[in-house]
Amino acid sequence: DVKVTQSSRYLVKRTGEKVFLECVQDMDHENMFWYRQDPGLGLRLIYFSYDVKMKEKGDIPEGYSVSREKKERFSLILESASTNQTSMYLCASSFERAGGTDTQYFGPGTRLTVL
Amino acid sequence: AQKVTQAQTEISVVEKEDVTLDCVYETRDTTYYLFWYKQPPSGELVFLIRRNSFDEQNEISGRYSWNFQKSTSSFNFTITASQVVDSAVYFCALSATNYGGATNKLIFGTGTLLAVQP
């Protein structure tokens, strides 16, 4: 079974704090993704990584950065948290499939509140 | 542009009723992939099905069935004899494309909240 874990289920931070969200997968997947989920907007891609130290911006990268130093771990960083970053954050991973789209497997999510 | 529309924001049914969740997509590609995920109250998205654009056969898995119709760009999901445990948000997703080919990124619909009452 694929397992994607996220460091926290719930997190409360203050405006201006630096926030780290960690994601680990155990299936040797090449691709890893960070999404945020907001009511009425579905899932929106923040960043994804297709290899160690490689990253690509998604649809809403502003205010976020990422780090992938090891294949199994993908971190999302909020350099200076703001209240509009209060959201549910979901991590996912998948195999790289040339010319196709493999299934993404998701972690349990981190519900971040910024006060 | 690629897009996924789930027009039903919320559906409420009574246990044992059949229910269909609609998904309409837009893409210019001939090769693409469609997915359904379930998100129960616990929050984790659970993969249900992956379908490529060349496989229009309908699929049945227990009480779940999917109807893929390229002619109407729809990939609808039916739950037969619904149960309270089916209560969740259901997302439909489409593979994003880049330079004419499917990529590993997904475009999600806004989700349909299904509430199954006992």
Side-chain angles (χ1 to χ4, degrees):
Chain A
D1 262 4
V2 175
K3 190 134 181 86
V4 180
T5 56
Q6 294 183 229
S7 49
S8 306
R9 291 301 302 271
Y10 299 93
L11 210 50
V12 179
K13 296 291 181 182
R14 298 213 171 269
T15 302
E17 279 193 75
K18 190 168 185 175
V19 182
F20 292 87
L21 302 182
E22 304 282 338
C23 176
V24 178
Q25 51 95 4
D26 68 356
M27 280 302 291
D28 204 34
H29 285 166
E30 292 86 6
N31 300 319
M32 296 188 75
F33 307 82
W34 275 108
Y35 295 89
R36 67 176 281 175
Q37 180 182 2
D38 300 289
L41 297 178
L43 275 73
R44 294 180 292 166
L45 182 64
I46 304 171
Y47 267 98
F48 86 99
S49 168
Y50 50 91
D51 202 348
V52 175
K53 297 191 187 295
M54 306 304 288
K55 61 185 178 185
E56 192 171 311
K57 291 180 181 178
D59 300 317
I60 50 165
E62 297 77 20
Y64 303 94
S65 62
V66 290
S67 172
R68 193 165 180 202
E69 297 297 319
K70 293 185 177 181
K71 190 175 185 180
E72 67 271 19
R73 188 179 297 269
F74 191 35
S75 302
L76 179 69
I77 303 154
L78 287 66
E79 294 289 342
S80 178
S82 63
T83 55
N84 62 15
Q85 292 178 310
T86 292
S87 187
M88 169 75 119
Y89 290 87
L90 291 157
C91 175
S93 69
S94 75
F95 284 118
E96 171 70 21
R97 183 189 287 256
T101 306
D102 213 343
T103 300
Q104 291 184 21
Y105 294 92
F106 284 80
T110 296
R111 191 166 292 282
L112 172 67
T113 301
V114 182
L115 302 175
Chain B
Q2 299 124 47
K3 188 179 177 183
V4 175
T5 301
Q6 295 180 257
Q8 304 152 308
T9 307
E10 291 186 35
I11 300 175
S12 183
V13 299
V14 177
E15 210 169 16
K16 297 185 183 175
E17 281 186 41
D18 298 347
V19 58
T20 296
L21 309 182
D22 298 333
C23 173
V24 174
Y25 62 92
E26 294 176 32
T27 183
R28 292 182 183 175
D29 291 311
T30 53
T31 301
Y32 52 90
Y33 296 80
L34 293 161
F35 299 78
W36 274 96
Y37 285 87
K38 173 183 179 180
Q39 186 180 39
S42 60
E44 180 173 346
L45 264 75
V46 177
F47 165 71
L48 296 177
I49 190 170
R50 171 180 178 268
R51 173 67 83 220
N52 75 51
S53 53
F54 296 109
D55 183 2
E56 285 194 75
Q57 243 184 336
N58 291 332
E59 174 141 348
I60 298 174
S61 176
R63 296 183 297 108
Y64 294 172
S65 62
W66 290 269
N67 182 282
F68 178 25
Q69 293 201 345
K70 287 176 79 170
S71 59
T72 56
S73 296
S74 65
F75 187 41
N76 295 338
F77 173 32
T78 296
I79 302 175
T80 303
S82 59
Q83 300 176 2
V84 172
V85 293
D86 296 326
S87 297
V89 180
Y90 291 86
F91 289 96
C92 180
L94 167 71
S95 56
T97 57
N98 189 20
Y99 306 114
T103 70
N104 286 283
K105 294 191 283 188
L106 296 179
I107 296 165
F108 284 84
T110 51
T112 297
L113 173 62
L114 173 65
V116 181
Q117 311 295 336

mmCIF file of all heavy atoms in Angstrom, chain B residues 44-86:
data_model
loop_
_atom_site.group_PDB
_atom_site.id
_atom_site.type_symbol
_atom_site.label_atom_id
_atom_site.label_comp_id
_atom_site.label_asym_id
_atom_site.label_seq_id
_atom_site.Cartn_x
_atom_site.Cartn_y
_atom_site.Cartn_z
ATOM 1 N N GLU B 44 -8.437 12.799 4.082
ATOM 2 C CA GLU B 44 -7.520 12.221 3.089
ATOM 3 C C GLU B 44 -8.243 11.891 1.797
ATOM 4 O O GLU B 44 -9.303 11.283 1.815
ATOM 5 C CB GLU B 44 -6.906 10.954 3.673
ATOM 6 C CG GLU B 44 -5.934 10.243 2.778
ATOM 7 C CD GLU B 44 -5.246 9.090 3.484
ATOM 8 O OE1 GLU B 44 -5.333 9.023 4.731
ATOM 9 O OE2 GLU B 44 -4.631 8.266 2.800
ATOM 10 N N LEU B 45 -7.685 12.260 0.672
ATOM 11 C CA LEU B 45 -8.269 11.903 -0.623
ATOM 12 C C LEU B 45 -7.935 10.458 -0.941
ATOM 13 O O LEU B 45 -6.770 10.056 -0.929
ATOM 14 C CB LEU B 45 -7.733 12.802 -1.741
ATOM 15 C CG LEU B 45 -8.598 13.999 -2.102
ATOM 16 C CD1 LEU B 45 -8.459 15.058 -1.038
ATOM 17 C CD2 LEU B 45 -8.230 14.538 -3.458
ATOM 18 N N VAL B 46 -8.967 9.707 -1.246
ATOM 19 C CA VAL B 46 -8.809 8.289 -1.550
ATOM 20 C C VAL B 46 -9.055 8.081 -3.035
ATOM 21 O O VAL B 46 -10.101 8.460 -3.561
ATOM 22 C CB VAL B 46 -9.798 7.448 -0.716
ATOM 23 C CG1 VAL B 46 -9.680 5.976 -1.088
ATOM 24 C CG2 VAL B 46 -9.560 7.654 0.768
ATOM 25 N N PHE B 47 -8.106 7.467 -3.707
ATOM 26 C CA PHE B 47 -8.217 7.203 -5.140
ATOM 27 C C PHE B 47 -9.309 6.161 -5.401
ATOM 28 O O PHE B 47 -9.369 5.128 -4.729
ATOM 29 C CB PHE B 47 -6.863 6.710 -5.656
ATOM 30 C CG PHE B 47 -6.904 6.067 -7.007
ATOM 31 C CD1 PHE B 47 -7.115 6.829 -8.139
ATOM 32 C CD2 PHE B 47 -6.716 4.701 -7.136
ATOM 33 C CE1 PHE B 47 -7.138 6.244 -9.392
ATOM 34 C CE2 PHE B 47 -6.736 4.105 -8.381
ATOM 35 C CZ PHE B 47 -6.953 4.875 -9.512
ATOM 36 N N LEU B 48 -10.155 6.424 -6.403
ATOM 37 C CA LEU B 48 -11.202 5.482 -6.758
ATOM 38 C C LEU B 48 -10.973 4.860 -8.127
ATOM 39 O O LEU B 48 -11.076 3.644 -8.288
ATOM 40 C CB LEU B 48 -12.574 6.173 -6.749
ATOM 41 C CG LEU B 48 -13.056 6.694 -5.401
ATOM 42 C CD1 LEU B 48 -14.394 7.406 -5.564
ATOM 43 C CD2 LEU B 48 -13.169 5.566 -4.390
ATOM 44 N N ILE B 49 -10.679 5.695 -9.135
ATOM 45 C CA ILE B 49 -10.550 5.156 -10.477
ATOM 46 C C ILE B 49 -9.699 6.069 -11.348
ATOM 47 O O ILE B 49 -9.679 7.289 -11.137
ATOM 48 C CB ILE B 49 -11.929 4.942 -11.149
ATOM 49 C CG1 ILE B 49 -11.777 4.143 -12.453
ATOM 50 C CG2 ILE B 49 -12.631 6.270 -11.380
ATOM 51 C CD1 ILE B 49 -13.091 3.683 -13.052
ATOM 52 N N ARG B 50 -9.002 5.488 -12.279
ATOM 53 C CA ARG B 50 -8.243 6.199 -13.312
ATOM 54 C C ARG B 50 -8.679 5.627 -14.651
ATOM 55 O O ARG B 50 -8.741 4.410 -14.817
ATOM 56 C CB ARG B 50 -6.750 5.984 -13.111
ATOM 57 C CG ARG B 50 -5.845 6.491 -14.223
ATOM 58 C CD ARG B 50 -4.380 6.190 -13.856
ATOM 59 N NE ARG B 50 -3.448 6.588 -14.885
ATOM 60 C CZ ARG B 50 -3.026 5.790 -15.862
ATOM 61 N NH1 ARG B 50 -3.476 4.563 -15.948
ATOM 62 N NH2 ARG B 50 -2.156 6.227 -16.740
ATOM 63 N N ARG B 51 -8.949 6.490 -15.601
ATOM 64 C CA ARG B 51 -9.416 6.047 -16.903
ATOM 65 C C ARG B 51 -8.684 6.851 -17.978
ATOM 66 O O ARG B 51 -8.589 8.069 -17.883
ATOM 67 C CB ARG B 51 -10.924 6.269 -16.997
ATOM 68 C CG ARG B 51 -11.549 6.007 -18.333
ATOM 69 C CD ARG B 51 -11.471 4.554 -18.654
ATOM 70 N NE ARG B 51 -12.550 3.810 -18.025
ATOM 71 C CZ ARG B 51 -12.396 2.616 -17.481
ATOM 72 N NH1 ARG B 51 -11.219 2.043 -17.461
ATOM 73 N NH2 ARG B 51 -13.416 1.993 -16.972
ATOM 74 N N ASN B 52 -8.180 6.184 -19.026
ATOM 75 C CA ASN B 52 -7.575 6.948 -20.108
ATOM 76 C C ASN B 52 -8.583 7.158 -21.228
ATOM 77 O O ASN B 52 -9.591 6.451 -21.325
ATOM 78 C CB ASN B 52 -6.275 6.310 -20.600
ATOM 79 C CG ASN B 52 -6.510 5.077 -21.453
ATOM 80 O OD1 ASN B 52 -7.280 5.111 -22.406
ATOM 81 N ND2 ASN B 52 -5.831 3.998 -21.124
ATOM 82 N N SER B 53 -8.308 8.107 -22.066
ATOM 83 C CA SER B 53 -9.271 8.564 -23.062
ATOM 84 C C SER B 53 -9.571 7.531 -24.140
ATOM 85 O O SER B 53 -10.542 7.670 -24.881
ATOM 86 C CB SER B 53 -8.782 9.856 -23.709
ATOM 87 O OG SER B 53 -7.465 9.692 -24.200
ATOM 88 N N PHE B 54 -8.753 6.501 -24.243
ATOM 89 C CA PHE B 54 -8.988 5.484 -25.264
ATOM 90 C C PHE B 54 -9.855 4.335 -24.760
ATOM 91 O O PHE B 54 -10.224 3.449 -25.529
ATOM 92 C CB PHE B 54 -7.660 4.941 -25.771
ATOM 93 C CG PHE B 54 -6.844 5.981 -26.464
ATOM 94 C CD1 PHE B 54 -5.696 6.489 -25.881
ATOM 95 C CD2 PHE B 54 -7.243 6.505 -27.682
ATOM 96 C CE1 PHE B 54 -4.951 7.476 -26.512
ATOM 97 C CE2 PHE B 54 -6.511 7.485 -28.325
ATOM 98 C CZ PHE B 54 -5.360 7.973 -27.731
ATOM 99 N N ASP B 55 -10.147 4.364 -23.486
ATOM 100 C CA ASP B 55 -10.899 3.273 -22.899
ATOM 101 C C ASP B 55 -12.269 3.786 -22.482
ATOM 102 O O ASP B 55 -12.444 4.296 -21.386
ATOM 103 C CB ASP B 55 -10.144 2.720 -21.685
ATOM 104 C CG ASP B 55 -10.852 1.533 -21.073
ATOM 105 O OD1 ASP B 55 -11.911 1.113 -21.599
ATOM 106 O OD2 ASP B 55 -10.347 1.017 -20.069
ATOM 107 N N GLU B 56 -13.249 3.622 -23.351
ATOM 108 C CA GLU B 56 -14.589 4.133 -23.069
ATOM 109 C C GLU B 56 -15.498 3.107 -22.429
ATOM 110 O O GLU B 56 -16.677 3.350 -22.227
ATOM 111 C CB GLU B 56 -15.234 4.656 -24.350
ATOM 112 C CG GLU B 56 -14.687 5.993 -24.800
ATOM 113 C CD GLU B 56 -15.564 6.634 -25.858
ATOM 114 O OE1 GLU B 56 -16.640 7.146 -25.505
ATOM 115 O OE2 GLU B 56 -15.172 6.613 -27.041
ATOM 116 N N GLN B 57 -14.937 1.971 -22.103
ATOM 117 C CA GLN B 57 -15.757 0.951 -21.452
ATOM 118 C C GLN B 57 -16.177 1.429 -20.077
ATOM 119 O O GLN B 57 -15.377 1.971 -19.315
ATOM 120 C CB GLN B 57 -14.940 -0.333 -21.290
ATOM 121 C CG GLN B 57 -15.503 -1.487 -22.056
ATOM 122 C CD GLN B 57 -14.731 -2.767 -21.786
ATOM 123 O OE1 GLN B 57 -13.580 -2.757 -21.415
ATOM 124 N NE2 GLN B 57 -15.404 -3.873 -21.976
ATOM 125 N N ASN B 58 -17.439 1.225 -19.759
ATOM 126 C CA ASN B 58 -17.891 1.553 -18.425
ATOM 127 C C ASN B 58 -17.306 0.567 -17.426
ATOM 128 O O ASN B 58 -17.008 -0.583 -17.771
ATOM 129 C CB ASN B 58 -19.409 1.526 -18.354
ATOM 130 C CG ASN B 58 -20.006 2.667 -19.148
ATOM 131 O OD1 ASN B 58 -19.385 3.717 -19.308
ATOM 132 N ND2 ASN B 58 -21.207 2.474 -19.663
ATOM 133 N N GLU B 59 -17.141 1.022 -16.214
ATOM 134 C CA GLU B 59 -16.536 0.173 -15.207
ATOM 135 C C GLU B 59 -17.441 0.056 -14.001
ATOM 136 O O GLU B 59 -18.095 1.016 -13.606
ATOM 137 C CB GLU B 59 -15.176 0.745 -14.791
ATOM 138 C CG GLU B 59 -14.538 -0.013 -13.643
ATOM 139 C CD GLU B 59 -13.051 -0.159 -13.806
ATOM 140 O OE1 GLU B 59 -12.525 0.114 -14.902
ATOM 141 O OE2 GLU B 59 -12.410 -0.562 -12.826
ATOM 142 N N ILE B 60 -17.453 -1.142 -13.440
ATOM 143 C CA ILE B 60 -18.246 -1.388 -12.236
ATOM 144 C C ILE B 60 -17.323 -1.998 -11.196
ATOM 145 O O ILE B 60 -16.556 -2.918 -11.486
ATOM 146 C CB ILE B 60 -19.422 -2.347 -12.501
ATOM 147 C CG1 ILE B 60 -20.376 -1.731 -13.531
ATOM 148 C CG2 ILE B 60 -20.157 -2.677 -11.198
ATOM 149 C CD1 ILE B 60 -21.490 -2.660 -13.959
ATOM 150 N N SER B 61 -17.421 -1.458 -9.975
ATOM 151 C CA SER B 61 -16.659 -2.017 -8.866
ATOM 152 C C SER B 61 -17.577 -2.049 -7.651
ATOM 153 O O SER B 61 -17.771 -1.040 -6.976
ATOM 154 C CB SER B 61 -15.418 -1.155 -8.599
ATOM 155 O OG SER B 61 -14.727 -1.638 -7.465
ATOM 156 N N GLY B 62 -18.159 -3.192 -7.401
ATOM 157 C CA GLY B 62 -19.102 -3.301 -6.298
ATOM 158 C C GLY B 62 -20.311 -2.412 -6.517
ATOM 159 O O GLY B 62 -21.007 -2.519 -7.523
ATOM 160 N N ARG B 63 -20.534 -1.482 -5.608
ATOM 161 C CA ARG B 63 -21.685 -0.570 -5.734
ATOM 162 C C ARG B 63 -21.353 0.657 -6.571
ATOM 163 O O ARG B 63 -22.213 1.497 -6.826
ATOM 164 C CB ARG B 63 -22.140 -0.126 -4.340
ATOM 165 C CG ARG B 63 -22.674 -1.246 -3.461
ATOM 166 C CD ARG B 63 -23.175 -0.731 -2.122
ATOM 167 N NE ARG B 63 -22.120 -0.120 -1.335
ATOM 168 C CZ ARG B 63 -22.005 1.183 -1.121
ATOM 169 N NH1 ARG B 63 -22.868 2.033 -1.659
ATOM 170 N NH2 ARG B 63 -21.018 1.658 -0.366
ATOM 171 N N TYR B 64 -20.107 0.779 -6.984
ATOM 172 C CA TYR B 64 -19.656 1.939 -7.750
ATOM 173 C C TYR B 64 -19.637 1.615 -9.236
ATOM 174 O O TYR B 64 -19.215 0.515 -9.637
ATOM 175 C CB TYR B 64 -18.239 2.342 -7.340
ATOM 176 C CG TYR B 64 -18.052 2.848 -5.935
ATOM 177 C CD1 TYR B 64 -16.782 3.077 -5.437
ATOM 178 C CD2 TYR B 64 -19.123 3.114 -5.099
ATOM 179 C CE1 TYR B 64 -16.577 3.559 -4.155
ATOM 180 C CE2 TYR B 64 -18.933 3.588 -3.812
ATOM 181 C CZ TYR B 64 -17.652 3.811 -3.346
ATOM 182 O OH TYR B 64 -17.458 4.294 -2.075
ATOM 183 N N SER B 65 -20.041 2.560 -10.044
ATOM 184 C CA SER B 65 -19.903 2.404 -11.487
ATOM 185 C C SER B 65 -19.597 3.768 -12.104
ATOM 186 O O SER B 65 -19.970 4.806 -11.557
ATOM 187 C CB SER B 65 -21.159 1.791 -12.111
ATOM 188 O OG SER B 65 -22.279 2.631 -11.909
ATOM 189 N N TRP B 66 -18.907 3.716 -13.240
ATOM 190 C CA TRP B 66 -18.512 4.934 -13.919
ATOM 191 C C TRP B 66 -18.933 4.849 -15.371
ATOM 192 O O TRP B 66 -18.762 3.814 -16.033
ATOM 193 C CB TRP B 66 -16.991 5.121 -13.839
ATOM 194 C CG TRP B 66 -16.526 5.452 -12.453
ATOM 195 C CD1 TRP B 66 -16.374 6.685 -11.910
ATOM 196 C CD2 TRP B 66 -16.177 4.519 -11.432
ATOM 197 N NE1 TRP B 66 -15.939 6.585 -10.612
ATOM 198 C CE2 TRP B 66 -15.816 5.272 -10.290
ATOM 199 C CE3 TRP B 66 -16.123 3.122 -11.354
ATOM 200 C CZ2 TRP B 66 -15.412 4.688 -9.087
ATOM 201 C CZ3 TRP B 66 -15.725 2.533 -10.174
ATOM 202 C CH2 TRP B 66 -15.370 3.313 -9.059
ATOM 203 N N ASN B 67 -19.459 5.958 -15.859
ATOM 204 C CA ASN B 67 -19.906 6.052 -17.244
ATOM 205 C C ASN B 67 -19.098 7.134 -17.952
ATOM 206 O O ASN B 67 -19.231 8.322 -17.649
ATOM 207 C CB ASN B 67 -21.406 6.397 -17.264
ATOM 208 C CG ASN B 67 -21.944 6.454 -18.672
ATOM 209 O OD1 ASN B 67 -21.740 7.423 -19.388
ATOM 210 N ND2 ASN B 67 -22.636 5.404 -19.086
ATOM 211 N N PHE B 68 -18.263 6.705 -18.885
ATOM 212 C CA PHE B 68 -17.375 7.617 -19.611
ATOM 213 C C PHE B 68 -17.953 7.804 -21.009
ATOM 214 O O PHE B 68 -18.082 6.834 -21.756
ATOM 215 C CB PHE B 68 -15.969 7.016 -19.668
ATOM 216 C CG PHE B 68 -14.957 7.823 -20.423
ATOM 217 C CD1 PHE B 68 -15.081 9.197 -20.579
ATOM 218 C CD2 PHE B 68 -13.850 7.208 -20.981
ATOM 219 C CE1 PHE B 68 -14.147 9.936 -21.271
ATOM 220 C CE2 PHE B 68 -12.896 7.935 -21.672
ATOM 221 C CZ PHE B 68 -13.039 9.292 -21.823
ATOM 222 N N GLN B 69 -18.285 9.027 -21.374
ATOM 223 C CA GLN B 69 -18.819 9.315 -22.696
ATOM 224 C C GLN B 69 -18.041 10.463 -23.314
ATOM 225 O O GLN B 69 -18.216 11.628 -22.930
ATOM 226 C CB GLN B 69 -20.299 9.662 -22.605
ATOM 227 C CG GLN B 69 -21.170 8.501 -22.168
ATOM 228 C CD GLN B 69 -22.630 8.694 -22.565
ATOM 229 O OE1 GLN B 69 -23.037 9.795 -22.905
ATOM 230 N NE2 GLN B 69 -23.398 7.624 -22.522
ATOM 231 N N LYS B 70 -17.201 10.123 -24.287
ATOM 232 C CA LYS B 70 -16.397 11.156 -24.941
ATOM 233 C C LYS B 70 -17.276 12.111 -25.739
ATOM 234 O O LYS B 70 -16.964 13.284 -25.866
ATOM 235 C CB LYS B 70 -15.354 10.509 -25.854
ATOM 236 C CG LYS B 70 -14.222 9.854 -25.088
ATOM 237 C CD LYS B 70 -13.262 9.152 -26.001
ATOM 238 C CE LYS B 70 -12.306 10.119 -26.661
ATOM 239 N NZ LYS B 70 -11.217 9.420 -27.361
ATOM 240 N N SER B 71 -18.376 11.615 -26.269
ATOM 241 C CA SER B 71 -19.240 12.455 -27.102
ATOM 242 C C SER B 71 -19.802 13.640 -26.326
ATOM 243 O O SER B 71 -20.049 14.706 -26.892
ATOM 244 C CB SER B 71 -20.385 11.630 -27.685
ATOM 245 O OG SER B 71 -21.138 11.056 -26.643
ATOM 246 N N THR B 72 -19.987 13.454 -25.033
ATOM 247 C CA THR B 72 -20.515 14.544 -24.200
ATOM 248 C C THR B 72 -19.467 15.051 -23.200
ATOM 249 O O THR B 72 -19.778 15.863 -22.337
ATOM 250 C CB THR B 72 -21.756 14.085 -23.423
ATOM 251 O OG1 THR B 72 -21.414 12.919 -22.661
ATOM 252 C CG2 THR B 72 -22.908 13.768 -24.356
ATOM 253 N N SER B 73 -18.228 14.560 -23.322
ATOM 254 C CA SER B 73 -17.137 14.945 -22.412
ATOM 255 C C SER B 73 -17.563 14.796 -20.958
ATOM 256 O O SER B 73 -17.427 15.711 -20.136
ATOM 257 C CB SER B 73 -16.713 16.402 -22.676
ATOM 258 O OG SER B 73 -16.185 16.526 -23.960
ATOM 259 N N SER B 74 -18.099 13.641 -20.656
ATOM 260 C CA SER B 74 -18.558 13.416 -19.293
ATOM 261 C C SER B 74 -17.985 12.118 -18.730
ATOM 262 O O SER B 74 -17.717 11.166 -19.470
ATOM 263 C CB SER B 74 -20.090 13.393 -19.241
ATOM 264 O OG SER B 74 -20.583 12.283 -19.961
ATOM 265 N N PHE B 75 -17.804 12.120 -17.445
ATOM 266 C CA PHE B 75 -17.281 10.934 -16.743
ATOM 267 C C PHE B 75 -18.026 10.855 -15.416
ATOM 268 O O PHE B 75 -17.539 11.269 -14.374
ATOM 269 C CB PHE B 75 -15.776 11.086 -16.537
ATOM 270 C CG PHE B 75 -15.091 9.863 -15.970
ATOM 271 C CD1 PHE B 75 -15.409 8.591 -16.392
ATOM 272 C CD2 PHE B 75 -14.099 10.010 -15.007
ATOM 273 C CE1 PHE B 75 -14.769 7.472 -15.881
ATOM 274 C CE2 PHE B 75 -13.445 8.893 -14.483
ATOM 275 C CZ PHE B 75 -13.783 7.635 -14.915
ATOM 276 N N ASN B 76 -19.238 10.322 -15.468
ATOM 277 C CA ASN B 76 -20.122 10.344 -14.316
ATOM 278 C C ASN B 76 -19.939 9.118 -13.430
ATOM 279 O O ASN B 76 -19.582 8.038 -13.894
ATOM 280 C CB ASN B 76 -21.575 10.439 -14.778
ATOM 281 C CG ASN B 76 -21.860 11.747 -15.494
ATOM 282 O OD1 ASN B 76 -21.146 12.742 -15.311
ATOM 283 N ND2 ASN B 76 -22.890 11.754 -16.327
ATOM 284 N N PHE B 77 -20.243 9.307 -12.181
ATOM 285 C CA PHE B 77 -19.994 8.301 -11.148
ATOM 286 C C PHE B 77 -21.313 7.992 -10.448
ATOM 287 O O PHE B 77 -21.976 8.906 -9.966
ATOM 288 C CB PHE B 77 -18.966 8.880 -10.170
ATOM 289 C CG PHE B 77 -18.695 8.073 -8.938
ATOM 290 C CD1 PHE B 77 -18.767 6.691 -8.934
ATOM 291 C CD2 PHE B 77 -18.328 8.718 -7.764
ATOM 292 C CE1 PHE B 77 -18.489 5.960 -7.793
ATOM 293 C CE2 PHE B 77 -18.044 7.990 -6.603
ATOM 294 C CZ PHE B 77 -18.124 6.620 -6.621
ATOM 295 N N THR B 78 -21.674 6.712 -10.415
ATOM 296 C CA THR B 78 -22.927 6.304 -9.790
ATOM 297 C C THR B 78 -22.651 5.379 -8.617
ATOM 298 O O THR B 78 -21.862 4.444 -8.726
ATOM 299 C CB THR B 78 -23.844 5.592 -10.802
ATOM 300 O OG1 THR B 78 -24.205 6.515 -11.835
ATOM 301 C CG2 THR B 78 -25.117 5.082 -10.126
ATOM 302 N N ILE B 79 -23.305 5.676 -7.510
ATOM 303 C CA ILE B 79 -23.264 4.797 -6.347
ATOM 304 C C ILE B 79 -24.645 4.159 -6.238
ATOM 305 O O ILE B 79 -25.670 4.857 -6.138
ATOM 306 C CB ILE B 79 -22.938 5.569 -5.057
ATOM 307 C CG1 ILE B 79 -21.593 6.290 -5.200
ATOM 308 C CG2 ILE B 79 -22.920 4.611 -3.864
ATOM 309 C CD1 ILE B 79 -21.245 7.181 -4.004
ATOM 310 N N THR B 80 -24.659 2.850 -6.251
ATOM 311 C CA THR B 80 -25.917 2.104 -6.153
ATOM 312 C C THR B 80 -26.162 1.731 -4.695
ATOM 313 O O THR B 80 -25.223 1.368 -3.975
ATOM 314 C CB THR B 80 -25.834 0.834 -7.014
ATOM 315 O OG1 THR B 80 -25.544 1.206 -8.357
ATOM 316 C CG2 THR B 80 -27.138 0.057 -6.980
ATOM 317 N N ALA B 81 -27.412 1.847 -4.275
ATOM 318 C CA ALA B 81 -27.772 1.483 -2.894
ATOM 319 C C ALA B 81 -26.828 2.177 -1.909
ATOM 320 O O ALA B 81 -26.095 1.527 -1.157
ATOM 321 C CB ALA B 81 -27.737 -0.031 -2.718
ATOM 322 N N SER B 82 -26.889 3.484 -1.903
ATOM 323 C CA SER B 82 -25.948 4.284 -1.105
ATOM 324 C C SER B 82 -26.027 3.917 0.386
ATOM 325 O O SER B 82 -27.061 3.453 0.892
ATOM 326 C CB SER B 82 -26.250 5.768 -1.285
ATOM 327 O OG SER B 82 -27.581 6.063 -0.894
ATOM 328 N N GLN B 83 -24.895 4.142 1.043
ATOM 329 C CA GLN B 83 -24.788 3.873 2.471
ATOM 330 C C GLN B 83 -24.252 5.117 3.169
ATOM 331 O O GLN B 83 -23.606 5.962 2.543
ATOM 332 C CB GLN B 83 -23.854 2.681 2.717
ATOM 333 C CG GLN B 83 -24.311 1.396 2.068
ATOM 334 C CD GLN B 83 -23.300 0.266 2.249
ATOM 335 O OE1 GLN B 83 -22.264 0.431 2.902
ATOM 336 N NE2 GLN B 83 -23.603 -0.897 1.682
ATOM 337 N N VAL B 84 -24.469 5.190 4.468
ATOM 338 C CA VAL B 84 -23.996 6.354 5.236
ATOM 339 C C VAL B 84 -22.485 6.529 5.077
ATOM 340 O O VAL B 84 -21.988 7.651 5.016
ATOM 341 C CB VAL B 84 -24.397 6.209 6.719
ATOM 342 C CG1 VAL B 84 -23.753 7.307 7.550
ATOM 343 C CG2 VAL B 84 -25.918 6.238 6.871
ATOM 344 N N VAL B 85 -21.762 5.441 4.955
ATOM 345 C CA VAL B 85 -20.296 5.519 4.813
ATOM 346 C C VAL B 85 -19.866 6.139 3.484
ATOM 347 O O VAL B 85 -18.692 6.468 3.306
ATOM 348 C CB VAL B 85 -19.621 4.136 4.958
ATOM 349 C CG1 VAL B 85 -19.770 3.632 6.365
ATOM 350 C CG2 VAL B 85 -20.151 3.150 3.944
ATOM 351 N N ASP B 86 -20.809 6.277 2.565
ATOM 352 C CA ASP B 86 -20.488 6.933 1.293
ATOM 353 C C ASP B 86 -20.470 8.459 1.428
ATOM 354 O O ASP B 86 -20.072 9.167 0.494
ATOM 355 C CB ASP B 86 -21.502 6.551 0.210
ATOM 356 C CG ASP B 86 -21.470 5.067 -0.124
ATOM 357 O OD1 ASP B 86 -20.382 4.479 -0.073
ATOM 358 O OD2 ASP B 86 -22.547 4.511 -0.417
#
